[in-house]
Amino acid sequence: MKLHQTTGNWRLGLGLSLITVILWGLVPVALAIVLTTLDPYTINWFRFVTAFILLGCYLAKQGNLPKVTQLRAVPIYLFAIAILGLAGNYIFFVMGLQATSPSHAEVLIQLAGVFLSLGGLVIFKERYTRYQWMGVGLLIAGFTGFFYEQLQVLATDSNRYIDGSIMLVIAGLSWAVYALIQKQLLTKLDSTHIMWIIYGACGILFSTVAKPQTLTQLNSIEWIALIFCGLNTLIAYGAFAESLQHWEASRVSAILALAPIFTIGSMGIAAWAAPGLIAPERITPLGLFGAILTIAGSMLISLGKGAELENMG
């Protein structure tokens, strides 16, 4: 089977990755606002339908809608796995966020990058370098410190917190499956065609359990947050898909590991600028240190192979 090769335009890949990481870092805050009124299924239905319609309009205007002959060249099972992977990531992430907090969700979802890296080990028969194993150690230490500290802070509802954390781990695993398949789909279709089809399929999937009538209950701030979530789906995932076209998956994953910084920062700004809008984060210095170790470990896992090769050169 032919494997996807990047264009080598690392500057474009880096720029697209930065757009993705900023948007992914902000979306948990917007989701937390909307979750006060809507259920996770309706939120995700709206996000996918919005992205499908907007991207479809763009492709139609460009005269670039995918042709039937192009779609026939793609194995249906690859699309099915990608659709289920992304849908699973969305629903489990929102459910995990609902049970924990934006910053916790964004830190724990860093496992997605680790799962993606492990997928490369299995599929491409790669091996971890010593730097990558150091990254694993940092990641475990970071998760241990952050998770333990959060349990102490949220001891009054620890069972719900643990259940939410499990959902976030599943969300990370689902995303890694989607990302690996997305990478391979790029050998057959343009990234915009792939995402348009996946958005539409996920929209149909969530329409079976969504409650569109509850949208009328949103206030103006919640509407702004929900629209941002919909645009985020289109722009962030579009940028992510395109970044894989130009840059190695390991490099993209390393940049995505920075997302918790934007989440923690935006939560602090939101608590200062609009008290009472969402529950303030309760992160102690130890928890923050654990989050930093998690980010560092995730980045080292993604970039460790390159670092060792450079030292050997």
Side-chain angles (χ1 to χ4, degrees):
M1 180 170 59
K2 179 184 176 183
L3 299 177
H4 175 262
Q5 299 294 319
T6 65
T7 65
N9 189 345
W10 68 268
R11 290 182 178 84
L12 181 55
L14 173 61
L16 291 167
S17 299
L18 288 173
I19 291 173
T20 303
V21 76
I22 292 171
L23 292 175
W24 280 358
L26 295 177
V27 76
V29 182
L31 286 170
I33 294 172
V34 181
L35 277 168
T36 59
T37 302
L38 298 182
D39 64 271
Y41 302 104
T42 303
I43 294 173
N44 285 324
W45 166 80
F46 181 90
R47 294 176 71 186
F48 281 121
V49 170
T50 299
F52 175 74
I53 292 173
L54 293 178
L55 183 55
C57 290
Y58 171 78
L59 291 175
K61 185 177 180 179
Q62 298 293 317
N64 191 29
L65 287 170
K67 298 178 176 60
V68 176
T69 52
Q70 292 176 294
L71 299 180
R72 287 175 178 170
V74 182
I76 189 65
Y77 74 90
L78 287 181
F79 260 125
I81 296 173
I83 290 164
L84 292 176
L86 190 58
N89 167 256
Y90 266 57
I91 191 59
F92 283 111
F93 181 81
V94 177
M95 292 171 68
L97 169 64
Q98 192 175 36
T100 56
S101 70
S103 295
H104 175 77
E106 198 59 49
V107 169
L108 201 54
I109 203 64
Q110 292 310 300
L111 281 171
V114 180
F115 291 142
L116 177 59
S117 179
L118 291 174
L121 296 183
V122 174
I123 295 174
F124 300 107
K125 309 300 181 184
E126 298 174 352
R127 292 184 179 182
Y128 271 180
T129 65
R130 64 176 180 271
Y131 291 103
Q132 288 174 302
W133 284 118
M134 287 170 57
V136 172
L138 284 177
L139 193 76
I140 293 174
F143 276 136
T144 301
F146 185 80
F147 191 80
Y148 174 79
E149 192 65 15
Q150 289 290 87
L151 273 179
Q152 303 304 306
V153 173
L154 303 172
T156 55
D157 199 7
S158 58
N159 288 335
R160 184 167 182 258
Y161 176 83
I162 293 173
D163 290 342
S165 297
I166 292 173
M167 291 178 188
L168 290 167
V169 172
I170 296 173
L173 182 59
S174 299
W175 182 87
V177 171
Y178 151 76
L180 288 168
I181 298 299
Q182 163 80 2
K183 184 79 171 172
Q184 196 56 33
L185 285 171
L186 287 170
T187 64
K188 302 292 185 180
L189 284 175
D190 181 82
S191 63
T192 54
H193 293 167
I194 296 168
M195 296 313 303
W196 185 64
I197 294 168
I198 292 177
Y199 291 153
C202 288
I204 293 172
L205 194 62
F206 281 112
S207 69
T208 60
V209 288
K211 299 175 182 177
Q213 66 274 14
T214 58
L215 293 174
T216 59
Q217 301 173 13
L218 296 175
N219 59 36
S220 57
I221 294 178
E222 291 169 341
W223 262 115
I224 292 172
L226 182 61
I227 291 172
F228 171 78
C229 290
L231 294 176
N232 189 291
T233 296
L234 174 64
I235 300 171
Y237 269 91
F240 167 70
E242 190 64 21
S243 69
L244 292 176
Q245 192 81 280
H246 304 286
W247 215 17
E248 294 87 351
S250 61
R251 307 290 177 178
V252 174
S253 297
I255 297 299
L256 297 185
L258 298 172
I261 294 176
F262 293 95
T263 303
I264 295 172
S266 60
M267 283 295 293
I269 294 173
W272 170 78
L277 182 61
I278 54 177
E281 291 280 23
R282 292 175 288 175
I283 302 180
T284 65
L286 177 58
L288 185 60
F289 182 65
I292 293 172
L293 285 182
T294 299
I295 294 169
S298 184
M299 294 184 71
L300 193 54
I301 290 171
S302 298
L303 298 176
K305 185 174 183 178
E308 181 151 300
L309 290 176
E310 289 174 6
N311 288 341
M312 291 172 63

